[in-house]
Short mmCIF file of all heavy atoms in Angstrom, two decimals:
data_model
loop_
_atom_site.label_atom_id
_atom_site.label_comp_id
_atom_site.label_asym_id
_atom_site.label_seq_id
_atom_site.Cartn_x
_atom_site.Cartn_y
_atom_site.Cartn_z
N MET A 1 173.02 -138.53 156.97
CA MET A 1 173.15 -137.56 158.04
C MET A 1 171.76 -137.11 158.43
O MET A 1 170.90 -136.91 157.59
CB MET A 1 174.00 -136.39 157.54
CG MET A 1 174.01 -135.24 158.49
SD MET A 1 175.00 -133.89 157.80
CE MET A 1 175.97 -133.50 159.21
N LYS A 2 171.54 -136.91 159.72
CA LYS A 2 170.22 -136.45 160.24
C LYS A 2 170.27 -134.97 160.51
O LYS A 2 171.27 -134.44 160.98
CB LYS A 2 169.83 -137.22 161.47
CG LYS A 2 169.50 -138.68 161.15
CD LYS A 2 168.48 -139.19 162.09
CE LYS A 2 168.03 -140.56 161.62
NZ LYS A 2 166.83 -141.01 162.24
N ILE A 3 169.14 -134.29 160.24
CA ILE A 3 169.01 -132.86 160.51
C ILE A 3 167.73 -132.66 161.27
O ILE A 3 166.78 -133.46 161.21
CB ILE A 3 169.01 -132.01 159.22
CG1 ILE A 3 167.95 -132.49 158.24
CG2 ILE A 3 170.39 -132.10 158.57
CD1 ILE A 3 167.83 -131.64 156.98
N THR A 4 167.62 -131.58 162.02
CA THR A 4 166.43 -131.28 162.83
C THR A 4 165.56 -130.27 162.08
O THR A 4 166.03 -129.21 161.69
CB THR A 4 166.80 -130.72 164.20
OG1 THR A 4 167.64 -131.67 164.88
CG2 THR A 4 165.58 -130.48 165.06
N LEU A 5 164.31 -130.64 161.82
CA LEU A 5 163.37 -129.84 161.03
C LEU A 5 161.99 -129.73 161.76
O LEU A 5 161.67 -130.60 162.52
CB LEU A 5 163.16 -130.43 159.64
CG LEU A 5 164.41 -130.50 158.77
CD1 LEU A 5 164.12 -131.30 157.52
CD2 LEU A 5 164.85 -129.09 158.39
N PRO A 6 161.24 -128.69 161.40
CA PRO A 6 159.88 -128.55 161.99
C PRO A 6 158.84 -129.33 161.22
O PRO A 6 158.85 -129.41 160.00
CB PRO A 6 159.65 -127.07 161.94
CG PRO A 6 160.39 -126.61 160.73
CD PRO A 6 161.63 -127.51 160.65
N PHE A 7 157.87 -129.85 161.98
CA PHE A 7 156.72 -130.62 161.42
C PHE A 7 155.49 -130.27 162.26
O PHE A 7 155.63 -129.80 163.39
CB PHE A 7 156.95 -132.13 161.51
CG PHE A 7 158.05 -132.63 160.67
CD1 PHE A 7 159.35 -132.65 161.13
CD2 PHE A 7 157.80 -133.08 159.37
CE1 PHE A 7 160.39 -133.13 160.35
CE2 PHE A 7 158.82 -133.52 158.59
CZ PHE A 7 160.14 -133.56 159.08
N CYS A 8 154.31 -130.57 161.72
CA CYS A 8 153.09 -130.45 162.51
C CYS A 8 152.97 -131.76 163.31
O CYS A 8 153.05 -132.84 162.74
CB CYS A 8 151.88 -130.28 161.64
SG CYS A 8 150.32 -130.31 162.59
N LYS A 9 152.77 -131.62 164.59
CA LYS A 9 152.65 -132.79 165.48
C LYS A 9 151.45 -133.65 165.13
O LYS A 9 151.46 -134.83 165.26
CB LYS A 9 152.56 -132.30 166.92
CG LYS A 9 152.27 -133.35 167.94
CD LYS A 9 152.23 -132.76 169.30
CE LYS A 9 150.90 -132.98 169.90
NZ LYS A 9 150.81 -132.47 171.28
N ASN A 10 150.38 -133.04 164.67
CA ASN A 10 149.09 -133.76 164.46
C ASN A 10 148.97 -134.38 163.07
O ASN A 10 148.58 -135.52 162.94
CB ASN A 10 147.93 -132.80 164.73
CG ASN A 10 147.98 -132.27 166.14
OD1 ASN A 10 148.19 -133.01 167.08
ND2 ASN A 10 147.88 -130.97 166.31
N CYS A 11 149.31 -133.61 162.00
CA CYS A 11 149.14 -134.16 160.67
C CYS A 11 150.47 -134.59 160.04
O CYS A 11 150.50 -135.15 158.98
CB CYS A 11 148.43 -133.15 159.75
SG CYS A 11 149.39 -131.63 159.41
N ARG A 12 151.58 -134.22 160.72
CA ARG A 12 152.94 -134.65 160.35
C ARG A 12 153.45 -134.05 159.06
O ARG A 12 154.45 -134.50 158.49
CB ARG A 12 153.03 -136.18 160.36
CG ARG A 12 152.53 -136.77 161.67
CD ARG A 12 152.58 -138.22 161.76
NE ARG A 12 153.89 -138.80 162.07
CZ ARG A 12 154.50 -138.80 163.24
NH1 ARG A 12 153.96 -138.19 164.25
NH2 ARG A 12 155.66 -139.38 163.38
N LEU A 13 152.80 -132.97 158.56
CA LEU A 13 153.31 -132.29 157.37
C LEU A 13 154.59 -131.50 157.71
O LEU A 13 154.70 -130.98 158.80
CB LEU A 13 152.23 -131.35 156.80
CG LEU A 13 151.00 -132.02 156.17
CD1 LEU A 13 150.01 -130.97 155.73
CD2 LEU A 13 151.42 -132.91 155.02
N ALA A 14 155.48 -131.41 156.74
CA ALA A 14 156.71 -130.66 156.95
C ALA A 14 156.45 -129.16 156.87
O ALA A 14 155.61 -128.69 156.10
CB ALA A 14 157.71 -131.04 155.82
N LEU A 15 157.17 -128.40 157.67
CA LEU A 15 157.14 -126.97 157.66
C LEU A 15 158.54 -126.49 157.26
O LEU A 15 159.49 -127.29 157.18
CB LEU A 15 156.75 -126.41 159.05
CG LEU A 15 155.30 -126.64 159.41
CD1 LEU A 15 155.19 -127.74 160.43
CD2 LEU A 15 154.68 -125.35 159.94
N VAL A 16 158.68 -125.19 157.11
CA VAL A 16 159.99 -124.57 156.74
C VAL A 16 160.52 -123.89 157.97
O VAL A 16 159.79 -123.18 158.70
CB VAL A 16 159.77 -123.55 155.60
CG1 VAL A 16 161.09 -122.88 155.25
CG2 VAL A 16 159.18 -124.23 154.35
N SER A 17 161.82 -124.07 158.22
CA SER A 17 162.46 -123.41 159.36
C SER A 17 162.43 -121.88 159.14
O SER A 17 162.53 -121.42 157.99
CB SER A 17 163.92 -123.85 159.49
OG SER A 17 163.98 -125.18 159.84
N PRO A 18 162.29 -121.12 160.21
CA PRO A 18 162.19 -119.65 160.08
C PRO A 18 163.52 -118.99 159.84
O PRO A 18 164.06 -118.28 160.69
CB PRO A 18 161.58 -119.25 161.41
CG PRO A 18 162.09 -120.25 162.37
CD PRO A 18 162.14 -121.54 161.59
N SER A 19 164.10 -119.22 158.68
CA SER A 19 165.42 -118.65 158.37
C SER A 19 165.30 -117.39 157.53
O SER A 19 166.28 -116.64 157.40
CB SER A 19 166.28 -119.67 157.63
OG SER A 19 165.64 -120.09 156.46
N SER A 20 164.17 -117.10 156.96
CA SER A 20 163.97 -115.90 156.15
C SER A 20 163.88 -114.67 157.05
O SER A 20 163.38 -114.77 158.16
CB SER A 20 162.70 -116.02 155.33
OG SER A 20 162.75 -117.09 154.48
N PRO A 21 164.35 -113.55 156.56
CA PRO A 21 164.21 -112.30 157.34
C PRO A 21 162.75 -112.02 157.69
O PRO A 21 161.88 -112.18 156.84
CB PRO A 21 164.78 -111.21 156.45
CG PRO A 21 165.63 -111.94 155.45
CD PRO A 21 165.00 -113.29 155.30
N GLY A 22 162.49 -111.66 158.92
CA GLY A 22 161.12 -111.36 159.36
C GLY A 22 160.36 -112.56 159.81
O GLY A 22 159.30 -112.41 160.39
N GLU A 23 160.82 -113.76 159.58
CA GLU A 23 160.13 -114.96 160.04
C GLU A 23 160.69 -115.39 161.40
O GLU A 23 161.90 -115.43 161.59
CB GLU A 23 160.29 -116.14 159.02
CG GLU A 23 159.70 -115.86 157.70
CD GLU A 23 158.19 -115.85 157.72
OE1 GLU A 23 157.58 -116.38 158.66
OE2 GLU A 23 157.62 -115.32 156.75
N THR A 24 159.79 -115.69 162.33
CA THR A 24 160.24 -116.11 163.66
C THR A 24 159.73 -117.49 164.00
O THR A 24 160.18 -118.09 164.96
CB THR A 24 159.75 -115.12 164.72
OG1 THR A 24 158.32 -115.03 164.67
CG2 THR A 24 160.38 -113.74 164.52
N ARG A 25 158.73 -117.98 163.25
CA ARG A 25 158.15 -119.30 163.52
C ARG A 25 158.17 -120.14 162.25
O ARG A 25 158.13 -119.61 161.14
CB ARG A 25 156.69 -119.13 163.99
CG ARG A 25 156.61 -118.30 165.25
CD ARG A 25 155.22 -118.11 165.69
NE ARG A 25 154.63 -119.42 166.04
CZ ARG A 25 153.38 -119.64 166.19
NH1 ARG A 25 152.49 -118.69 166.03
NH2 ARG A 25 152.92 -120.86 166.51
N PRO A 26 158.20 -121.48 162.39
CA PRO A 26 158.14 -122.32 161.19
C PRO A 26 156.84 -122.05 160.43
O PRO A 26 155.82 -121.67 161.01
CB PRO A 26 158.13 -123.74 161.77
CG PRO A 26 158.80 -123.60 163.09
CD PRO A 26 158.41 -122.26 163.59
N TYR A 27 156.85 -122.27 159.12
CA TYR A 27 155.70 -121.98 158.29
C TYR A 27 155.63 -122.96 157.13
O TYR A 27 156.59 -123.68 156.84
CB TYR A 27 155.78 -120.52 157.73
CG TYR A 27 157.04 -120.25 156.95
CD1 TYR A 27 157.09 -120.43 155.56
CD2 TYR A 27 158.22 -119.86 157.57
CE1 TYR A 27 158.25 -120.17 154.85
CE2 TYR A 27 159.38 -119.61 156.87
CZ TYR A 27 159.37 -119.80 155.52
OH TYR A 27 160.52 -119.58 154.80
N PHE A 28 154.46 -123.09 156.52
CA PHE A 28 154.30 -123.91 155.32
C PHE A 28 154.81 -123.20 154.11
O PHE A 28 154.63 -121.99 153.97
CB PHE A 28 152.84 -124.30 155.12
CG PHE A 28 152.32 -125.31 156.11
CD1 PHE A 28 151.53 -124.91 157.14
CD2 PHE A 28 152.67 -126.65 156.00
CE1 PHE A 28 151.06 -125.85 158.07
CE2 PHE A 28 152.20 -127.58 156.92
CZ PHE A 28 151.40 -127.16 157.95
N ASP A 29 155.47 -123.88 153.24
CA ASP A 29 156.01 -123.33 152.00
C ASP A 29 154.89 -123.25 150.97
O ASP A 29 154.63 -124.24 150.29
CB ASP A 29 157.18 -124.17 151.50
CG ASP A 29 157.91 -123.55 150.32
OD1 ASP A 29 157.72 -122.35 150.09
OD2 ASP A 29 158.65 -124.28 149.62
N LEU A 30 154.25 -122.14 150.87
CA LEU A 30 153.09 -121.99 149.98
C LEU A 30 153.42 -121.05 148.80
O LEU A 30 154.11 -120.05 148.96
CB LEU A 30 151.90 -121.38 150.74
CG LEU A 30 151.45 -122.15 151.98
CD1 LEU A 30 150.40 -121.36 152.75
CD2 LEU A 30 150.96 -123.52 151.61
N GLY A 31 152.89 -121.42 147.66
CA GLY A 31 153.06 -120.58 146.48
C GLY A 31 151.95 -119.54 146.42
O GLY A 31 151.02 -119.56 147.24
N PRO A 32 152.01 -118.62 145.48
CA PRO A 32 150.96 -117.60 145.35
C PRO A 32 149.61 -118.24 145.17
O PRO A 32 149.44 -119.17 144.38
CB PRO A 32 151.38 -116.85 144.08
CG PRO A 32 152.82 -117.11 143.92
CD PRO A 32 153.07 -118.49 144.46
N GLY A 33 148.63 -117.79 145.95
CA GLY A 33 147.27 -118.29 145.84
C GLY A 33 147.04 -119.57 146.59
O GLY A 33 145.88 -120.04 146.67
N GLU A 34 148.05 -120.22 147.15
CA GLU A 34 147.86 -121.44 147.91
C GLU A 34 147.43 -121.13 149.35
O GLU A 34 147.83 -120.06 149.87
CB GLU A 34 149.11 -122.31 147.95
CG GLU A 34 149.53 -122.89 146.62
CD GLU A 34 150.73 -123.72 146.70
OE1 GLU A 34 151.66 -123.40 147.42
OE2 GLU A 34 150.75 -124.78 146.04
N THR A 35 146.65 -122.00 149.96
CA THR A 35 146.25 -121.80 151.35
C THR A 35 146.91 -122.86 152.22
O THR A 35 147.32 -123.92 151.71
CB THR A 35 144.71 -121.88 151.48
OG1 THR A 35 144.29 -123.17 151.04
CG2 THR A 35 144.01 -120.83 150.69
N THR A 36 146.93 -122.62 153.49
CA THR A 36 147.50 -123.58 154.44
C THR A 36 146.76 -124.86 154.39
O THR A 36 145.51 -124.89 154.40
CB THR A 36 147.43 -123.00 155.89
OG1 THR A 36 148.13 -121.75 155.91
CG2 THR A 36 148.05 -123.94 156.89
N PRO A 37 147.48 -126.00 154.28
CA PRO A 37 146.79 -127.29 154.21
C PRO A 37 146.02 -127.56 155.52
O PRO A 37 146.44 -127.14 156.59
CB PRO A 37 147.92 -128.29 153.98
CG PRO A 37 149.14 -127.59 154.42
CD PRO A 37 148.93 -126.10 154.28
N PRO A 38 144.93 -128.33 155.44
CA PRO A 38 144.17 -128.62 156.65
C PRO A 38 145.00 -129.57 157.53
O PRO A 38 145.82 -130.35 157.03
CB PRO A 38 142.92 -129.30 156.15
CG PRO A 38 143.27 -129.81 154.79
CD PRO A 38 144.31 -128.91 154.24
N CYS A 39 144.75 -129.51 158.83
CA CYS A 39 145.39 -130.40 159.77
C CYS A 39 144.56 -131.68 159.86
O CYS A 39 143.56 -131.85 159.18
CB CYS A 39 145.53 -129.70 161.12
SG CYS A 39 146.66 -130.57 162.23
N ALA A 40 144.95 -132.57 160.75
CA ALA A 40 144.17 -133.78 161.01
C ALA A 40 142.78 -133.37 161.51
O ALA A 40 142.67 -132.33 162.14
CB ALA A 40 144.90 -134.65 162.05
N PRO A 41 141.76 -134.16 161.21
CA PRO A 41 140.39 -133.80 161.66
C PRO A 41 140.33 -133.47 163.15
O PRO A 41 140.81 -134.24 163.99
CB PRO A 41 139.58 -135.06 161.32
CG PRO A 41 140.33 -135.69 160.19
CD PRO A 41 141.79 -135.42 160.49
N GLY A 42 139.76 -132.31 163.44
CA GLY A 42 139.57 -131.90 164.83
C GLY A 42 140.83 -131.35 165.51
O GLY A 42 140.84 -131.09 166.70
N GLU A 43 141.88 -131.15 164.74
CA GLU A 43 143.17 -130.68 165.33
C GLU A 43 143.60 -129.36 164.68
O GLU A 43 143.10 -129.00 163.64
CB GLU A 43 144.28 -131.72 165.09
CG GLU A 43 144.03 -133.06 165.73
CD GLU A 43 144.13 -133.05 167.23
OE1 GLU A 43 144.61 -132.05 167.81
OE2 GLU A 43 143.66 -134.02 167.84
N ARG A 44 144.52 -128.71 165.35
CA ARG A 44 145.15 -127.48 164.80
C ARG A 44 146.64 -127.78 164.63
O ARG A 44 147.18 -128.60 165.34
CB ARG A 44 145.00 -126.35 165.80
CG ARG A 44 143.51 -126.02 166.06
CD ARG A 44 143.42 -124.96 167.08
NE ARG A 44 143.35 -123.69 166.35
CZ ARG A 44 143.39 -122.51 166.91
NH1 ARG A 44 143.55 -122.38 168.21
NH2 ARG A 44 143.29 -121.43 166.17
N HIS A 45 147.26 -127.10 163.68
CA HIS A 45 148.69 -127.29 163.47
C HIS A 45 149.47 -126.91 164.74
O HIS A 45 149.27 -125.83 165.30
CB HIS A 45 149.19 -126.43 162.27
CG HIS A 45 148.64 -126.89 160.99
ND1 HIS A 45 148.87 -128.12 160.43
CD2 HIS A 45 147.83 -126.26 160.09
CE1 HIS A 45 148.27 -128.25 159.28
NE2 HIS A 45 147.61 -127.10 159.03
N THR A 46 150.31 -127.82 165.19
CA THR A 46 151.17 -127.64 166.34
C THR A 46 152.61 -128.00 165.95
O THR A 46 152.81 -129.15 165.45
CB THR A 46 150.69 -128.52 167.52
OG1 THR A 46 149.34 -128.22 167.79
CG2 THR A 46 151.54 -128.29 168.74
N VAL A 47 153.56 -127.14 166.11
CA VAL A 47 154.91 -127.37 165.66
C VAL A 47 155.71 -128.26 166.64
O VAL A 47 155.67 -128.06 167.83
CB VAL A 47 155.66 -126.04 165.48
CG1 VAL A 47 157.13 -126.31 165.11
CG2 VAL A 47 155.01 -125.19 164.44
N ILE A 48 156.38 -129.26 166.09
CA ILE A 48 157.37 -130.07 166.79
C ILE A 48 158.63 -130.07 165.96
O ILE A 48 158.59 -129.77 164.75
CB ILE A 48 156.90 -131.51 167.06
CG1 ILE A 48 156.64 -132.26 165.76
CG2 ILE A 48 155.71 -131.53 168.01
CD1 ILE A 48 156.44 -133.74 165.94
N TRP A 49 159.76 -130.38 166.54
CA TRP A 49 161.01 -130.51 165.83
C TRP A 49 161.46 -131.94 165.92
O TRP A 49 161.37 -132.57 166.97
CB TRP A 49 162.08 -129.57 166.45
CG TRP A 49 161.73 -128.14 166.27
CD1 TRP A 49 160.88 -127.37 167.01
CD2 TRP A 49 162.17 -127.27 165.21
NE1 TRP A 49 160.77 -126.13 166.51
CE2 TRP A 49 161.58 -126.02 165.40
CE3 TRP A 49 163.07 -127.45 164.15
CZ2 TRP A 49 161.83 -124.95 164.56
CZ3 TRP A 49 163.28 -126.36 163.32
CH2 TRP A 49 162.67 -125.12 163.53
N ALA A 50 161.87 -132.50 164.78
CA ALA A 50 162.27 -133.90 164.72
C ALA A 50 163.51 -134.08 163.88
O ALA A 50 163.74 -133.32 162.95
CB ALA A 50 161.12 -134.73 164.18
N LYS A 51 164.31 -135.08 164.24
CA LYS A 51 165.49 -135.39 163.43
C LYS A 51 165.10 -136.37 162.33
O LYS A 51 164.46 -137.41 162.58
CB LYS A 51 166.55 -136.05 164.31
CG LYS A 51 167.19 -135.05 165.22
CD LYS A 51 168.45 -135.64 165.88
CE LYS A 51 169.06 -134.51 166.72
NZ LYS A 51 170.40 -134.79 167.05
N VAL A 52 165.41 -136.00 161.08
CA VAL A 52 165.11 -136.82 159.94
C VAL A 52 166.35 -136.86 159.03
O VAL A 52 167.25 -136.03 159.15
CB VAL A 52 163.90 -136.28 159.14
CG1 VAL A 52 162.64 -136.36 159.93
CG2 VAL A 52 164.14 -134.87 158.63
N ARG A 53 166.34 -137.83 158.12
CA ARG A 53 167.48 -137.89 157.19
C ARG A 53 167.41 -136.70 156.26
O ARG A 53 166.33 -136.23 155.88
CB ARG A 53 167.38 -139.18 156.36
CG ARG A 53 167.54 -140.43 157.17
CD ARG A 53 167.48 -141.69 156.34
NE ARG A 53 166.31 -141.60 155.40
CZ ARG A 53 166.06 -142.52 154.49
NH1 ARG A 53 166.80 -143.58 154.35
NH2 ARG A 53 165.01 -142.39 153.72
N GLU A 54 168.58 -136.18 155.91
CA GLU A 54 168.65 -134.96 155.11
C GLU A 54 167.91 -135.15 153.76
O GLU A 54 167.23 -134.21 153.29
CB GLU A 54 170.12 -134.63 154.83
CG GLU A 54 170.35 -133.25 154.26
CD GLU A 54 171.81 -132.85 154.26
OE1 GLU A 54 172.68 -133.61 154.72
OE2 GLU A 54 172.07 -131.74 153.79
N GLU A 55 167.94 -136.32 153.18
CA GLU A 55 167.27 -136.55 151.89
C GLU A 55 165.73 -136.59 152.05
O GLU A 55 165.01 -136.55 151.06
CB GLU A 55 167.78 -137.82 151.19
CG GLU A 55 167.63 -139.07 152.03
CD GLU A 55 168.88 -139.38 152.88
OE1 GLU A 55 169.68 -138.48 153.17
OE2 GLU A 55 169.01 -140.58 153.23
N ASP A 56 165.23 -136.68 153.27
CA ASP A 56 163.79 -136.69 153.51
C ASP A 56 163.24 -135.30 153.79
O ASP A 56 162.07 -135.14 154.12
CB ASP A 56 163.44 -137.61 154.69
CG ASP A 56 163.68 -139.06 154.36
OD1 ASP A 56 163.70 -139.41 153.16
OD2 ASP A 56 163.86 -139.88 155.27
N GLN A 57 164.07 -134.26 153.65
CA GLN A 57 163.63 -132.88 153.90
C GLN A 57 162.47 -132.53 152.98
O GLN A 57 162.47 -132.83 151.79
CB GLN A 57 164.79 -131.95 153.64
CG GLN A 57 164.49 -130.50 153.92
CD GLN A 57 165.77 -129.63 153.78
OE1 GLN A 57 166.86 -130.14 153.58
NE2 GLN A 57 165.59 -128.39 153.87
N GLY A 58 161.38 -131.99 153.55
CA GLY A 58 160.22 -131.56 152.79
C GLY A 58 159.13 -132.64 152.72
O GLY A 58 158.02 -132.37 152.29
N LEU A 59 159.44 -133.88 153.12
CA LEU A 59 158.45 -134.92 153.12
C LEU A 59 157.73 -134.96 154.45
O LEU A 59 158.26 -134.49 155.47
CB LEU A 59 159.16 -136.29 152.89
CG LEU A 59 159.92 -136.47 151.57
CD1 LEU A 59 160.61 -137.80 151.52
CD2 LEU A 59 158.91 -136.34 150.42
N PRO A 60 156.53 -135.57 154.53
CA PRO A 60 155.86 -135.68 155.81
C PRO A 60 156.71 -136.52 156.79
O PRO A 60 157.49 -137.38 156.38
CB PRO A 60 154.57 -136.40 155.49
CG PRO A 60 154.31 -136.12 154.02
CD PRO A 60 155.69 -136.04 153.42
N LEU A 61 156.54 -136.28 158.08
CA LEU A 61 157.28 -137.00 159.11
C LEU A 61 156.81 -138.44 159.14
O LEU A 61 155.58 -138.71 159.23
CB LEU A 61 156.99 -136.33 160.47
CG LEU A 61 157.76 -136.88 161.67
CD1 LEU A 61 159.25 -136.71 161.47
CD2 LEU A 61 157.30 -136.18 162.93
N PRO A 62 157.72 -139.40 159.02
CA PRO A 62 157.32 -140.81 159.05
C PRO A 62 156.71 -141.15 160.41
O PRO A 62 157.04 -140.58 161.45
CB PRO A 62 158.65 -141.57 158.86
CG PRO A 62 159.64 -140.55 158.43
CD PRO A 62 159.13 -139.22 158.86
N ARG A 63 155.82 -142.12 160.40
CA ARG A 63 155.21 -142.61 161.66
C ARG A 63 156.07 -143.63 162.34
O ARG A 63 156.84 -144.27 161.83
CB ARG A 63 153.84 -143.16 161.40
CG ARG A 63 152.92 -142.12 160.88
CD ARG A 63 151.49 -142.39 161.26
NE ARG A 63 150.65 -141.28 160.81
CZ ARG A 63 150.22 -140.33 161.60
NH1 ARG A 63 150.49 -140.31 162.86
NH2 ARG A 63 149.48 -139.37 161.11
#
């Protein structure tokens, strides 16, 4: 089954859907003390939504 999830358009890393209270935009799932991962060289994170297999949730977007 395919589901629609957010990814960075440039580096293709998976983001988390804004389902938590107070969240309005997709975000990276970071633990305490972790920083946002860098994007592709010369790029900024830009959100896109893509359909992926449910079992691929949390993995980078395939090329």
Side-chain angles (χ1 to χ4, degrees):
M1 172 181 226
K2 291 211 172 194
I3 56 176
T4 302
L5 296 171
F7 294 87
C8 174
K9 174 178 118 177
N10 301 312
C11 66
R12 307 180 80 74
L13 291 177
L15 289 104
V16 177
S17 293
S19 58
S20 301
E23 295 291 342
T24 58
R25 301 179 63 195
Y27 57 93
F28 286 104
D29 187 18
L30 303 173
E34 292 182 321
T35 60
T36 302
C39 193
E43 300 289 346
R44 300 177 92 188
H45 292 298
T46 303
V47 176
I48 60 169
W49 294 82
K51 287 191 176 198
V52 295
R53 295 181 312 176
E54 193 169 359
E55 57 268 22
D56 291 339
Q57 184 174 354
L59 299 175
L61 185 62
R63 296 209 177 260

